[in-house]
Amino acid sequence: MADRGASVFELNRSSVDARDSRRHGDSFRCLLTVLVGSDDTDYKFSIIRMTRQIAWHSRNHGNCKGACDSCRAQSPTGDHLSMACRAVGLGGDRRRLPGGHGRGGILCRHGHFGPLPIRIAWFGVALPALTLNYFGQGGLLLTEPGAVENSFFQLAPEWSHYGLVILATAATVIASQAIISGAYSLTSQAIQLGFLPRMNIVHTAGHEIGQIYVPVVNWALAFGTLAAVIGFGSSAALAGAFGIAVSLLMAITTLMATFVALRWKHNSFLVYSVNGSLLALDLLFVASTSTKLLDGGWFPLAISFVIAFLMLTWRKGQEILDTVRLEIREKSQEFIERIKVDPPHRIPGTAVILGRMTRGVPLSLTRNIKFNHVLHERVLLVAIEMTETPRVAEEDRVKITPISERITRVELRFGFMEKADVPKGLRVAVVRGQISECDLRQVTYFTGHEAIIPTGRKTGMARWRKAIFALMHLNAQRPGAYFNIPSAQVMEIGVEFDI
């Protein structure tokens, strides 16, 4: 029944047009009766409800305001229709949809291009091609029910099967590349939002900000894929893992769409009514696939748990570390009074002191004065803030706060889709006249080389989690490289934090 249900769903899914879903309801019921050959009304209507869910997604994807905003944010996973199209019959084999993986992955990658290319690609290429393909499979199944096992390849004459295999292989490669690129984008955004430690991010194209390569993620995906292939042994053994992953993805996507719609001030009753009904259906699929939890379904859940655990550990560790920083940082006014009473030797040039926060004086500056007894003629205390918006307008990039005649606090703001480039931000401030002109090629950048000592001194996280945080911090990319500072201009001051 699961295989036949999957094939029926392929046929019904192809027939859906967002504007004509009601009109086609009777034909759906007839096709279900003919092909499934069962009087199980609940099963048939569950398929119909799923088709209507896809119709709803298709209609809203084409018209909703969120498409422009989400694409402007370059979200690589924002397409609801592709998520819905990946599902098949209750508890069935979710790998039976030909082209499902490739289409979803390609649409994920299209998030880098904006709303217009997505609409052209979907309505001009993908939707017509898929409609013709699935209508063709439906016609084939009506005339030859025995073709249900391999309806895609049996659409074409036997001599063209090799070409179709090559085409399917190319689609798989493209889908894999799209998923990898999406993983790069999500990792970059998680770093910017403070959920992962700094990593080496290579920008592969100077004219396109979304073209990036993250070596750590690339190798993690490679080892994870090899482990899954070797461990499970066959694609059939992975069916349970795939089913749970897709059904949970659909439920999570519906929840996220609900939060976004509420934030955009849509009618709350309509949002809860529509998304609530869709979520109920999604949870039905989650419940049906949960029966395969021990049959491979644990694999994606384990991966999700590990990644979420590491992200939350890093986030919480950074909060504890910021608390410790504030405790031992010298207040700005106290620092100014101290250097007036006991002035250090002034050396020519400009010093840029990098720090995470806009309060107090960074430890790299106070330690430099304490041990070297020198201070540059001009000092910029630079704090980098990553916003929850994709990009920051140039006029909002820099905020200046004078501390004394020769010391200025500079706040640089970057969106989570932007490269946190400190020299570029300072250049913007110079061009806009917010700070006096200086030769940025001669500036000295001071950063802290921080060592984390996990102890029980600070509460809020178990000691063993603090040890994991310390290990992640140790392997994080150095601030100078991450903020695009020339290595010849960086001076690191060692600082130990006891947490």
Side-chain angles (χ1 to χ4, degrees), residues 321-363:
L321 191 56
D322 284 344
T323 303
V324 175
R325 283 194 184 101
L326 281 177
E327 289 178 355
I328 60 179
R329 269 191 176 191
E330 191 173 5
K331 294 182 179 180
S332 301
Q333 197 57 41
E334 292 177 359
F335 175 77
I336 298 300
E337 295 298 328
R338 182 167 65 85
I339 63 175
K340 284 182 179 179
V341 174
D342 183 19
H345 176 68
R346 289 279 184 173
I347 59 176
T350 301
V352 174
I353 316 298
L354 297 183
R356 273 179 54 86
M357 298 174 291
T358 58
R359 289 179 290 174
V361 179
L363 292 173

Side-chain angles (χ1 to χ4, degrees), residues 1 5 25 46 64 75 80 91 103 129 139 228 264 332 362 378 386 427 463 475 481:
M1 173 63 75
S46 70
C64 76
S75 170
H80 303 289
R103 183 175 59 259
W264 286 341
S332 301
R378 184 182 177 200
M386 306 308 301
R427 198 173 300 115
R463 187 167 179 174
N475 289 279

Side-chain angles (χ1 to χ4, degrees), residues 216-361:
V216 172
V217 175
N218 183 66
W219 286 106
L221 288 173
F223 287 125
T225 302
L226 290 173
V229 171
I230 295 172
F232 285 91
S234 66
S235 59
L238 276 167
F242 187 81
I244 286 184
V246 171
S247 57
L248 281 174
L249 177 62
M250 292 171 59
I252 293 170
T253 303
T254 302
L255 285 172
M256 292 175 64
T258 303
F259 294 141
V260 171
L262 292 174
R263 187 175 181 83
W264 286 341
K265 308 300 182 183
H266 287 290
N267 185 284
S268 58
F269 176 77
L270 185 62
V271 170
Y272 284 124
S273 299
V274 175
N275 283 13
S277 61
L278 294 176
L279 180 61
L281 185 59
D282 291 338
L283 293 177
L284 186 63
F285 278 88
V286 172
S288 68
T289 55
S290 64
T291 58
K292 298 184 179 181
L293 180 63
L294 300 179
D295 188 21
W298 57 268
F299 185 66
L301 296 180
I303 294 175
S304 302
F305 174 79
V306 170
I307 294 175
F309 171 77
L310 292 176
M311 293 175 71
L312 293 174
T313 297
W314 177 260
R315 183 79 166 188
K316 185 63 178 178
Q318 286 286 54
E319 292 176 0
I320 295 175
L321 191 56
D322 284 344
T323 303
V324 175
R325 283 194 184 101
L326 281 177
E327 289 178 355
I328 60 179
R329 269 191 176 191
E330 191 173 5
K331 294 182 179 180
S332 301
Q333 197 57 41
E334 292 177 359
F335 175 77
I336 298 300
E337 295 298 328
R338 182 167 65 85
I339 63 175
K340 284 182 179 179
V341 174
D342 183 19
H345 176 68
R346 289 279 184 173
I347 59 176
T350 301
V352 174
I353 316 298
L354 297 183
R356 273 179 54 86
M357 298 174 291
T358 58
R359 289 179 290 174
V361 179

Side-chain angles (χ1 to χ4, degrees), residues 37 90 170 184 299 334 400:
L90 289 171
Y184 293 161
F299 185 66
E334 292 177 359
I400 302 297

Side-chain angles (χ1 to χ4, degrees), residues 369-434:
I369 295 177
K370 178 180 179 180
F371 295 114
N372 297 324
H373 308 289
V374 294
L375 182 65
H376 284 73
E377 290 180 347
R378 184 182 177 200
V379 178
L380 301 177
L381 305 181
V382 176
I384 296 94
E385 178 188 358
M386 306 308 301
T387 68
E388 295 185 2
T389 55
R391 292 183 178 80
V392 174
E394 292 299 314
E395 56 268 22
D396 300 326
R397 177 80 63 198
V398 184
K399 180 182 177 182
I400 302 297
T401 306
I403 295 178
S404 70
E405 184 180 351
R406 296 182 179 182
I407 301 177
T408 305
R409 190 181 301 280
V410 180
E411 298 178 42
L412 299 180
R413 304 175 71 244
F414 298 93
F416 64 82
M417 291 297 298
E418 295 180 299
K419 168 74 173 175
D421 191 325
V422 171
K424 181 180 177 181
L426 293 176
R427 198 173 300 115
V428 170
V430 170
V431 171
R432 295 179 61 85
Q434 294 174 286

